[in-house]
Amino acid sequence: MGATDPSPAPRLPVGLKVSVDVRRDQQPHRDARIDAHVRVKAVGIGPSDELPAVELAVVIALDVAAERREAAAGALAAALRALPDGLSFTVLGGADETGALSACYPLRGRWALSGTGEKRRAAFSAGRILPAAGDRPPVGYRAWLAAARELFAQRPLPVRHLLLITDGSSHDGAAAPDLDEPGRDGGELNTELSRCAGWFTADVLALGGDWDPAPLLAVAERLHGSPVDAPERFDPSVAEAVRRLRRVRSPELPVSVAVRPAVHGVTLTETAPRRQALQAVRPAGEPRRFDFPTHQWEPGTRDYLLTLGVDASTDPLGVLLQLATVSVGDSTAPLLVRWLPPGDAVGAGTAGDGGSTLQTMDVATRMRAALDRGFLALDPLSRDEAGQQLGLAVRLANEIGASWVVARVREVAEILDGSRGVVRIGPDVDPGSVRRGRLNIAAGHLLDLPEQPAGKPVKCPDCDHPAGPHAQYCIACGRGLGCPG
């Protein structure tokens, strides 16, 4: 799953289509910034829609306080009985008298293979989950992550996933969800997340409402999973998570960006279905290639914001230039721009040149940021700040038709004038609803963006590097391709 991960790929093929949407006409500068919308569509190929369960390894960690143990053990037993046959699984839960975490199942060894008898024994053993001794809190998220990492090292299956079921009673300290801002109090958790990244993915199932969203969001985002507001009877949520894992057709695929020498900065951010900044891996011997690992590919659509820093001081004006190619699997699309001569104004964008799409993405980014800040201001309660931010989110949502944002705001505020962004925070704001809202916001929603026309791909006759249908020069060796602009 990571750059050094030797695990095999699953046996379900996937078809991929990459499109790049960018404003074609740009003003040249020594430090020009180019933003592009990258969309990747994945389509399942073949007669089967589900990955065989034998290619999945799942660790279930139950992280709850003593008073919730009995109800949680019952839900866990139901979840174990519903596992598909052939799945490799381990159940962790509770702590011994020393405070160390304990294994619930299997009774011997590290892994069990689900079958009728094995699931029955695992469900019966769910009652062995130990509460923390005395008033000691559960062992903490970092301990569950470290234990899962050690377990998965012994089970190198294509899809490896942690289901962390928690009521938030662990005390790890907050870890910042922003990958660029490590939490001051969550250093150990952030360090462990760095060790786990690429080796397995993780969902967080949050029970109740008395938990800090920050470390839960950090776990889900850093390990490319989903934060889920789960009911006390969480077994349907576990079953849905396993069903989703079986739709995975590739546990890891890099989004590869190859650039011209004039490009000096490359960043890639996934905007949907999950919001996350991706970290580039630089392949040895290829200084102009950036690989961004992505995880859990199933049929569907993903959107990315690609940003390039470009020195255009020596580039020709008025001709199409291929600044980069974006590849996922066997699909490649070019990023083409044309530097305008001095005095030519850059327009607002016309249909098909990326202007309207990128404007929609910019509005959506500001809308999501305002929604996040608004819910954050409600926990703890700051009505004025929350009202301003949620009002901004509603106004921007009306611009692009994001009805899910309006519905989310209505859970905590009255919308007085949506077009002007005027809202009034409700008199009684439930902290649990606010925290659950923060998890749900992170789940992500696709934008309804226009399709971009696809041209016939070409390859350089000298070095065989892929190029876009309108490219005039090979991005790898510089040979003229003779393609029309």
Side-chain angles (χ1 to χ4, degrees), residues 281-348:
V281 176
R282 306 292 296 275
E286 299 187 62
R288 296 199 296 274
R289 176 178 157 191
F290 298 77
D291 286 347
F292 296 88
T294 61
H295 300 268
Q296 288 194 359
W297 282 85
E298 59 188 90
T301 300
R302 297 192 185 190
D303 286 319
Y304 301 90
L305 177 64
L306 172 64
T307 300
L308 306 180
V310 186
D311 180 1
S313 58
T314 61
D315 280 344
L317 302 179
V319 298
L320 281 178
L321 298 172
Q322 181 173 292
L323 297 184
T325 57
V326 182
S327 303
V328 183
D330 295 330
S331 180
T332 299
L335 193 160
L336 302 169
V337 303
R338 177 170 44 225
W339 304 121
L340 294 182
D344 287 5
V346 176

Side-chain angles (χ1 to χ4, degrees), residues 239-456:
E240 174 54 33
V242 173
R243 279 194 295 270
R244 180 177 57 79
L245 290 174
R246 296 192 68 183
R247 294 195 294 268
V248 171
R249 290 182 171 249
S250 180
E252 188 270 334
L253 280 173
V255 178
S256 296
V257 182
V259 300
R260 295 179 66 212
V263 177
H264 53 75
V266 180
T267 62
L268 188 70
T269 301
E270 182 177 328
T271 58
R274 299 184 178 97
R275 291 178 301 150
Q276 52 191 329
L278 303 180
Q279 305 302 306
V281 176
R282 306 292 296 275
E286 299 187 62
R288 296 199 296 274
R289 176 178 157 191
F290 298 77
D291 286 347
F292 296 88
T294 61
H295 300 268
Q296 288 194 359
W297 282 85
E298 59 188 90
T301 300
R302 297 192 185 190
D303 286 319
Y304 301 90
L305 177 64
L306 172 64
T307 300
L308 306 180
V310 186
D311 180 1
S313 58
T314 61
D315 280 344
L317 302 179
V319 298
L320 281 178
L321 298 172
Q322 181 173 292
L323 297 184
T325 57
V326 182
S327 303
V328 183
D330 295 330
S331 180
T332 299
L335 193 160
L336 302 169
V337 303
R338 177 170 44 225
W339 304 121
L340 294 182
D344 287 5
V346 176
T350 58
D353 84 338
S356 59
T357 297
L358 290 171
Q359 183 178 6
T360 300
M361 289 193 70
D362 178 65
V363 171
T365 298
R366 292 189 286 126
M367 174 192 70
R368 297 288 293 266
L371 189 63
D372 278 337
R373 288 193 291 264
F375 269 80
L376 183 61
L378 289 174
D379 184 21
L381 188 62
S382 176
R383 289 182 181 273
D384 290 343
E385 174 68 11
Q388 292 175 7
Q389 296 297 333
L390 294 178
L392 175 59
V394 168
R395 180 173 65 79
L396 296 173
N398 277 319
E399 288 185 21
I400 60 176
S403 57
W404 70 270
V405 172
V406 176
R408 188 66 62 203
V409 172
R410 282 198 175 116
E411 295 176 0
V412 294
E414 180 184 0
I415 299 176
L416 304 179
D417 188 335
S419 61
R420 293 175 52 227
V422 181
V423 305
R424 180 169 56 204
I425 305 301
D428 299 313
V429 178
D430 175 33
S433 297
V434 170
R435 292 164 188 165
R436 287 190 290 270
R438 287 184 62 189
L439 286 193
N440 292 331
I441 290 168
H445 295 262
L446 282 173
L447 293 174
D448 186 16
L449 299 173
E451 293 287 337
Q452 297 303 310
K456 183 179 179 181

Side-chain angles (χ1 to χ4, degrees), residues 47-390:
S48 177
D49 291 330
E50 284 193 335
L51 189 69
V54 294
E55 302 201 11
L56 276 69
V58 175
V59 171
I60 301 173
L62 189 60
D63 179 72
V64 298
E67 60 269 18
R68 198 174 246 118
R69 184 193 71 88
E70 185 174 353
L76 176 62
L80 293 170
R81 284 192 290 266
L83 292 177
D85 289 347
L87 178 86
S88 294
F89 72 100
T90 295
V91 182
L92 304 174
D96 60 25
E97 62 277 1
T98 68
L101 62 82
S102 61
C104 169
Y105 199 83
L107 305 179
R108 295 182 181 86
R110 308 298 296 275
W111 287 93
L113 193 65
S114 63
T116 302
E118 200 75 41
K119 290 187 289 186
R120 183 175 62 250
R121 288 187 290 272
F124 179 77
S125 299
R128 298 177 62 239
I129 296 233
L130 299 173
D135 295 329
R136 185 184 295 117
V139 294
Y141 309 136
R142 183 189 60 80
W144 301 119
L145 292 169
R149 177 167 50 84
E150 294 176 3
L151 285 163
F152 286 126
Q154 303 173 11
R155 207 69 163 182
L157 293 177
V159 178
R160 303 188 293 270
H161 194 75
L162 168 67
L163 287 172
L164 176 59
I165 305 165
T166 181
D167 61 0
S169 51
S170 288
H171 295 286
D172 271 331
D178 189 338
L179 298 181
D180 298 324
E181 300 179 7
R184 289 174 297 176
D185 298 325
E188 290 186 355
L189 178 56
N190 276 311
T191 298
E192 185 57 44
L193 285 169
S194 296
R195 295 189 184 115
C196 297
W199 287 97
F200 63 92
T201 52
D203 287 347
V204 175
L205 275 58
L207 310 180
D210 190 18
W211 29 261
D212 179 5
L216 304 186
L217 289 169
V219 170
E221 291 173 9
R222 291 280 293 273
L223 299 183
H224 303 274
S226 299
V228 179
D229 168 27
E232 296 290 337
R233 292 293 306 186
F234 56 77
D235 44 298
S237 299
V238 172
E240 174 54 33
V242 173
R243 279 194 295 270
R244 180 177 57 79
L245 290 174
R246 296 192 68 183
R247 294 195 294 268
V248 171
R249 290 182 171 249
S250 180
E252 188 270 334
L253 280 173
V255 178
S256 296
V257 182
V259 300
R260 295 179 66 212
V263 177
H264 53 75
V266 180
T267 62
L268 188 70
T269 301
E270 182 177 328
T271 58
R274 299 184 178 97
R275 291 178 301 150
Q276 52 191 329
L278 303 180
Q279 305 302 306
V281 176
R282 306 292 296 275
E286 299 187 62
R288 296 199 296 274
R289 176 178 157 191
F290 298 77
D291 286 347
F292 296 88
T294 61
H295 300 268
Q296 288 194 359
W297 282 85
E298 59 188 90
T301 300
R302 297 192 185 190
D303 286 319
Y304 301 90
L305 177 64
L306 172 64
T307 300
L308 306 180
V310 186
D311 180 1
S313 58
T314 61
D315 280 344
L317 302 179
V319 298
L320 281 178
L321 298 172
Q322 181 173 292
L323 297 184
T325 57
V326 182
S327 303
V328 183
D330 295 330
S331 180
T332 299
L335 193 160
L336 302 169
V337 303
R338 177 170 44 225
W339 304 121
L340 294 182
D344 287 5
V346 176
T350 58
D353 84 338
S356 59
T357 297
L358 290 171
Q359 183 178 6
T360 300
M361 289 193 70
D362 178 65
V363 171
T365 298
R366 292 189 286 126
M367 174 192 70
R368 297 288 293 266
L371 189 63
D372 278 337
R373 288 193 291 264
F375 269 80
L376 183 61
L378 289 174
D379 184 21
L381 188 62
S382 176
R383 289 182 181 273
D384 290 343
E385 174 68 11
Q388 292 175 7
Q389 296 297 333
L390 294 178

